[in-house]
């Protein structure tokens, strides 16, 4: 049997002799773990917020006939696997906000036992419990388990890929190799940042195979490459997206800002004290996970050169982030903390290794602090901080707009989330194309917007509305629309008089908007 990727838990668990406490204490510990896991499950199965832009686009694309989904994704900029899974899910379960989010909840729940198994391989029973509880209470993991996007699927696939690769290296065989290939392909077809992780993992396998003269590691890299063959049918769409879509809605940020926002997002964000505490604890544990050699009593011995298996996890996290940020700087791609879902599970496993390597007297209090801080960050994100002001805007429109009124969205990014909540009796369109609001066409987005004329569009839409009211859902801080939505509003005011202001942007929402309306034009006399 070959050495695995994650090491041997019988060696790596530095607390191999369980405490001789009574059975009552053990039962209380098991009960506490059960309560925390149950809370993590409960946090993953419901969010009261309406769907925001990205979710609404996902749901709309998956609502198309299956033959139309690839072309819609091609112009959206996303890979296909999550959309295809959601396509089937919507037809079995439904397409309400709660129902479509349940698919992500399912992936988030499935990741919990996968994390426990990986933690056990890394650091025995202590590692299993730590990995399970850190993921169960992770504000980042909880949040994206309640969002109709692919990020909780990414977390699950990374854990499955880690276990599949470790299993192959322990006992090489064709069946395990095929599993490595399939998970590799699934990751690449779920989120493009997975390509950076796969490149780091494949390169690391080849480098270690060369150093150790390990044919098993070389063959594992070959199985990963074989998985890449399953990506080839999607390659033309990927190349089109690379040339025409990108991330026009944001600009690149610096390395330090990106790393800082990553750690803050993993800990719950928002500038809360609990987020700062959780970030500090996780970073400390991750550092111990990389460097700890032994622990006894109140003493931990460190080796700054790094120790396996923590060193492998650290290379995976650091190498992936460094490669992704470098490519982003070269190509002008934006950075979003949610993309780092591809390395979050590795980072939490690294923290779990660090926790398992602490002396027993310190381990439980530190884990308790991390769990409490995680829950304190996750609960507000799920239940009290809504993602979008969409429902407020839609309610105001339904109360005031009449059949035949025209609703315009500027920018078009406000259209998908609001339009799905409005009746079909309203005429809805997006600036500057006048097209349907259900989706955003990201192809050549910046170029299209730079050539738009808000004054001409305002006159045209006023003419089209005629004796019906015109409603404008807009915001002023979207990239590539600088000043255009304001100019459109000024044009409509010049044509129809002062508007009725129904909704103002609320900074408590991640996605907010103005809602203003202009009365119908007077009917010409005989």
């Amino acid at each position: 049997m070959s050495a695995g990727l994650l090491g041997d838990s019988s060696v790596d668990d530095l607390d191999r002799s369980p405490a001789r406490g009574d059975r009552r204490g053990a039962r209380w510990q098991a009960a506490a773990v059960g309560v925390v896991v149950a809370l993590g499950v409960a946090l993953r199965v419901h969010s009261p917020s309406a769907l925001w832009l990205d979710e609404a686009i996902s749901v709309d694309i998956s609502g198309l006939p299956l033959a139309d989904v690839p072309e819609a994704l091609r112009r959206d900029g996303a890979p296909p696997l999550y959309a295809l899974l959601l396509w089937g899910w919507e037809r079995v379960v439904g397409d309400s906000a709660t129902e479509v989010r349940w698919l992500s909840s399912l992936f988030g729940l499935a990741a919990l036992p996968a994390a426990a198994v990986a933690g056990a391989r890394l650091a025995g029973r202590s590692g299993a419990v730590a990995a399970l509880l850190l993921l169960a209470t992770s504000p980042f993991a909880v949040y994206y388990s309640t969002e109709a996007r692919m990020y909780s699927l990414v977390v699950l696939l990374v854990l499955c890929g880690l276990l599949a690769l470790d299993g192959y290296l322990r006992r090489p065989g064709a069946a395990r190799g095929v599993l490595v290939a399939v998970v590799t392909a699934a990751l690449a077809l779920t989120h493009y940042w997975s390509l950076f992780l796969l490149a780091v993992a494949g390169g690391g396998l080849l480098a270690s195979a060369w150093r150790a003269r390990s044919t098993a590691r070389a063959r594992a890299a070959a199985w990963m490459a074989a998985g890449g063959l399953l990506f080839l049918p999607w390659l033309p769409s990927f190349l089109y997206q690379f040339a025409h879509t990108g991330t026009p809605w944001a600009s690149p940020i610096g390395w330090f800002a990106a790393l800082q926002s990553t750690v803050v997002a993993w800990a719950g964000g928002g500038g809360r004290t609990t987020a700062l505490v959780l970030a500090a604890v996780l970073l400390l544990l991750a550092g111990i996970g990389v460097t700890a050699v032994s622990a006894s009593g109140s003493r931990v011995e460190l080796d700054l050169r790094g120790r396996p298996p923590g060193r492998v996890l650290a290379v995976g996290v650091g190498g992936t982030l460094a490669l992704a940020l470098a490519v982003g700087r070269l190509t002008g791609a934006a950075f979003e903390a949610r993309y780092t879902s591809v390395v979050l599970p590795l980072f939490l496993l690294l923290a779990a290794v660090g926790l398992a390597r602490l002396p027993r007297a310190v381990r439980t209090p530190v884990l308790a602090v991390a769990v409490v801080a995680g829950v304190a960050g996750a609960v507000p994100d799920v239940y009290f901080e809504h993602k979008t002001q969409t429902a407020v805007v839609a309610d105001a429109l339904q109360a005031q707009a009449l059949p035949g009124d025209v609703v315009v969205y500027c920018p078009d990014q406000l259209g998908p989330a609001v339009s799905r909540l409005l009746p079909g009796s309203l005429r809805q369109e997006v600036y500057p194309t006048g097209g349907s609001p259900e989706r955003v066409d990201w192809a050549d987005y910046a170029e299209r917007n730079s050539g738009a004329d808000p004054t001409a569009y305002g006159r045209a839409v006023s003419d089209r509305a005629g004796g019906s009211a015109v409603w404008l859902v807009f915001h002023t801080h979207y990239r590539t629309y600088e000043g255009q939505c304001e100019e459109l509003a000024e044009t409509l005011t010049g044509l129809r008089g002062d508007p009725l202001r129904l909704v103002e942007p609320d900074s408590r929402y991640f996605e907010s908007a103005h809602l203003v309306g202009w009365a119908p034009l007077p009917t010409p006399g005989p």
Side-chain angles (χ1 to χ4, degrees), residues 166-453:
D166 180 67
Y168 178 84
L169 293 177
R170 289 172 185 269
R171 295 181 62 186
R176 291 181 177 83
V178 168
L179 183 59
V180 169
V182 169
V183 178
T184 297
L187 268 169
L189 292 168
T190 299
H191 198 281
Y192 291 137
W193 262 49
S194 299
L195 298 175
F196 302 127
L197 174 61
L198 295 173
V200 170
L205 284 170
L206 290 175
S208 62
W210 181 78
R211 287 197 307 269
R213 301 294 188 265
S214 170
T215 58
R217 291 178 179 257
R219 289 198 300 269
W223 279 112
M224 291 182 65
L229 297 176
L230 298 177
F231 187 82
L232 291 180
W234 184 250
L235 184 60
S237 294
F238 169 72
L239 294 176
Y240 176 87
Q241 291 169 337
F242 183 78
H244 294 280
T245 57
T247 54
W249 36 265
S251 56
I253 63 175
W255 289 69
F256 178 77
L259 295 175
Q260 182 183 41
S261 66
T262 295
V263 175
V264 170
W266 286 349
R272 306 185 192 98
T273 301
T274 54
L276 297 177
V277 170
L278 181 58
V281 170
L282 291 177
L283 287 172
L284 175 63
L285 291 176
I288 294 173
V290 176
T291 60
V293 177
S294 64
S296 60
S298 60
R299 183 167 176 259
V300 178
E301 183 181 345
L302 305 179
D303 182 349
L304 297 181
R305 294 171 299 180
R307 297 280 294 181
R311 185 166 54 195
V312 173
L313 296 172
V315 169
V317 174
T320 299
L321 290 177
L323 180 59
L325 291 173
V327 171
R329 297 294 294 179
L330 289 173
T331 62
F335 170 86
E336 286 291 335
R338 58 184 178 267
Y339 299 166
T340 64
S341 57
V342 73
V343 292
L344 170 75
L346 303 184
F347 179 77
L348 293 181
L349 287 172
L350 181 58
V353 171
L355 194 67
R357 289 180 169 178
L358 290 176
R360 176 179 294 276
V362 178
R363 185 187 309 157
T364 300
V366 171
L367 180 57
V369 169
V371 166
V372 171
V375 171
V379 170
D381 280 348
V382 172
Y383 289 104
F384 301 113
E385 296 187 7
H386 289 198
K387 306 170 192 286
T388 177
Q389 203 173 356
T390 289
V392 176
V393 173
D395 287 346
L397 276 168
Q398 292 191 70
Q400 295 288 336
L402 298 175
D405 284 358
V406 176
V407 181
V408 178
Y409 300 95
C410 182
D412 52 1
Q413 296 172 50
L414 295 172
V418 177
S419 64
R420 72 187 308 270
L421 302 179
L422 296 180
S425 59
L426 298 176
R427 293 181 283 169
Q428 301 183 67
E429 60 182 74
V430 298
Y431 172 84
T433 65
S436 173
E438 285 82 7
R439 296 191 300 279
V440 175
D441 183 358
W442 294 110
D444 304 317
Y445 190 77
E447 293 84 353
R448 182 169 65 247
N449 293 338
S450 66
D453 185 340

Side-chain angles (χ1 to χ4, degrees), residues 434-478:
S436 173
E438 285 82 7
R439 296 191 300 279
V440 175
D441 183 358
W442 294 110
D444 304 317
Y445 190 77
E447 293 84 353
R448 182 169 65 247
N449 293 338
S450 66
D453 185 340
T455 300
Y457 181 92
R459 291 175 180 149
V461 76
S462 181
D463 290 343
R464 287 196 299 275
S468 298
V470 176
W471 302 92
L472 179 63
V473 181
F474 75 102
H475 206 291
T476 60
H477 299 303
Y478 279 73

